[in-house]
Amino acid sequence: MSFKVFALATVAVALASSCSAARAEAPVPSPAQPAGDLDSKLSSDYQRLTSFGERPSWSPDGRRIAFMEKSFGDAYEIDLGARKVRLLTYFQNAGFLRVQFLPNGDYLLIGARDFKDVDRTRYFDQEFWIMKADASGLPAPLNQKVSEGVAISRKSMKIAWANDFRTSPDLLPEGECAIFVGDIVYEASGPRIVDKKEAVRVKGLGCRMEAQDFRNDDQELVYIVYRDTPTVRLADVFGVDLATGRKTTYRQLEKEYNEAEGIFPDGKYILVESDREQTNARGSKTLDTWKLRLEPNSTDFTRVTRFGDLRGYKATNPVVSPDGKTVAFQEGWTTDIAGSGHGIFLLRLK
């Protein structure tokens, strides 16, 4: 089955202007768009869902996708049947970086209480917020700082997240980072995280980790460790058994960037942002989406998208639909800051 390519350019303009009045624009760099018409060069297997936005997230029923307008922007949602877009964060805010669905249908937002500057706000001040499924009322804070993204169970209110010396200087000295797991509960006083436990800790210069996905009935957590080389930052894919602490290396190659993203519903495979086969540059600037079988030191690694064949473009932040048949991902440019996107695409898996 193939999709037809179409755009929602007029929607993008209207929605972008609607949020600017509520918040002063954050000074995030605006890179120049690569030359050439991306859509005309893609096969009919790709469907452009929006002409703006980044970091898509599937609803538990697979009928909607939540996504960010931009880094330090507002959160939106699109109904895949009606193709209707709605603004979720209609209230004045400092700008969010991520929005994802919880299994009960509520939204988990990641954002800061106020905006200072791009680096300080992104790496020191991000925290979790819960917003009701009907988007009524203001989000409630979970009072938990977070570094990068969050892993969310498909079956329970269990989440995992990373911290380092920037988010948690009282817990972690510089050069150490850790991933924690906990459960979200709803109480009369508001939501909170209970049963918080450390799952894995890493030490090293410039230490950065990110929790990604649960698998094997929430017994294992897939995570990423970023590492610096003299010329570029790379990433590797690992797993940790939450009961025993035993670690598994899934993909770690000396000169290859591999950042795990969306896991398949059966937990056997995961999508990965990789610079493999890229010739213009290496690292997070030149990426495409690959499919990795989750087995120790896996070599079962298959390319899914080919945006990197078009100079200046990359395909990032891929997530798999609940039925395992469709990938949602974002159009990226090689000049972007990490995580930035310029529209959401769908790709039906063959």
Side-chain angles (χ1 to χ4, degrees):
M1 177 179 178
S2 295
F3 289 112
K4 294 182 180 179
V5 178
F6 69 100
L8 297 176
T10 55
V11 174
V13 173
L15 294 179
S17 62
S18 70
C19 66
S20 61
R23 178 184 66 251
E25 293 295 315
V28 179
S30 299
Q33 182 172 0
D37 180 7
L38 171 66
D39 294 60
S40 67
K41 297 177 182 178
L42 297 175
S43 74
S44 59
D45 294 326
Y46 295 93
Q47 175 192 12
R48 180 182 284 280
L49 193 60
T50 70
S51 56
F52 76 109
E54 61 194 40
R55 299 190 184 279
S57 172
W58 290 91
S59 64
D61 61 9
R63 297 179 179 178
R64 294 164 292 147
I65 289 178
F67 62 98
M68 293 305 307
E69 165 210 5
K70 62 179 182 177
S71 298
F72 305 106
D74 279 299
Y76 293 88
E77 177 186 82
I78 181 167
D79 183 298
L80 295 176
R83 291 299 193 265
K84 182 178 180 180
V85 179
R86 71 164 175 158
L87 172 66
L88 297 174
T89 52
Y90 54 85
F91 45 86
Q92 187 168 348
N93 60 79
F96 294 95
L97 287 181
R98 301 171 191 257
V99 58
Q100 289 179 244
F101 288 95
L102 291 168
N104 68 351
D106 286 350
Y107 303 93
L108 182 66
L109 293 159
I110 296 179
R113 295 175 185 254
D114 54 42
F115 184 88
K116 299 180 179 68
D117 59 64
V118 171
D119 287 340
R120 174 76 196 189
T121 305
R122 177 168 183 165
Y123 296 113
F124 288 76
D125 298 336
Q126 297 297 301
E127 59 181 287
F128 292 129
W129 306 79
I130 299 285
M131 188 167 65
K132 300 300 292 180
D134 62 2
S136 62
L138 297 177
L142 282 176
N143 298 309
Q144 175 61 59
K145 292 284 188 71
V146 56
S147 174
E148 298 296 340
V150 59
I152 301 175
S153 168
R154 293 178 183 262
K155 53 177 290 186
S156 72
M157 298 293 278
K158 184 179 296 296
I159 64 171
W161 67 95
N163 287 127
D164 57 29
F165 75 95
R166 296 169 298 185
T167 62
S168 307
D170 55 328
L171 294 176
L172 296 160
E174 187 167 359
E176 293 188 20
C177 49
I179 289 178
F180 298 87
V181 297
D183 298 288
I184 299 173
V185 296
Y186 292 75
E187 300 177 340
S189 58
R192 67 188 184 95
I193 298 175
V194 299
D195 298 328
K196 177 179 173 180
K197 299 176 182 178
E198 183 177 314
V200 60
R201 182 178 294 223
V202 170
K203 299 181 181 180
L205 184 65
C207 177
R208 279 182 58 201
M209 305 172 71
E210 185 171 3
Q212 191 50 57
D213 279 296
F214 293 97
R215 68 188 293 252
N216 295 339
D217 202 27
D218 292 352
Q219 297 178 66
E220 184 184 10
L221 177 71
V222 179
Y223 65 97
I224 307 117
V225 176
Y226 301 93
R227 56 187 166 91
D228 291 324
T229 74
T231 58
V232 68
R233 167 159 283 184
L234 300 177
D236 307 306
V237 185
F238 301 94
V240 58
D241 185 300
L242 296 177
T244 66
R246 183 178 63 86
K247 302 174 188 176
T248 301
T249 300
Y250 288 118
R251 193 163 183 87
Q252 182 182 30
L253 297 179
E254 182 181 355
K255 297 181 179 180
E256 196 171 281
Y257 184 101
N258 292 299
E259 180 179 350
E261 291 289 345
I263 200 166
F264 282 72
D266 61 9
K268 295 179 180 179
Y269 292 87
I270 197 166
L271 295 176
V272 174
E273 296 174 346
S274 180
D275 65 355
R276 189 174 180 84
E277 295 185 357
Q278 301 297 316
T279 58
N280 296 324
R282 304 311 299 268
S284 62
K285 292 298 183 182
T286 55
L287 299 172
D288 249 320
T289 297
W290 291 67
K291 181 180 178 182
L292 175 71
R293 185 176 183 86
L294 287 170
E295 56 189 16
N297 297 304
S298 181
T299 58
D300 187 344
F301 201 44
T302 306
R303 193 167 177 176
V304 176
T305 60
R306 306 205 67 92
F307 274 38
D309 293 346
L310 307 174
R311 183 174 292 274
Y313 290 98
K314 58 183 179 178
T316 61
N317 292 88
V319 285
V320 187
S321 60
D323 64 7
K325 296 180 180 179
T326 307
V327 174
F329 66 95
Q330 70 189 39
E331 169 192 338
W333 302 343
T334 58
T335 51
D336 287 332
I337 63 171
S340 293
H342 307 276
I344 309 300
F345 279 82
L346 297 181
L347 176 64
R348 178 73 74 171
L349 296 173
K350 298 180 180 179

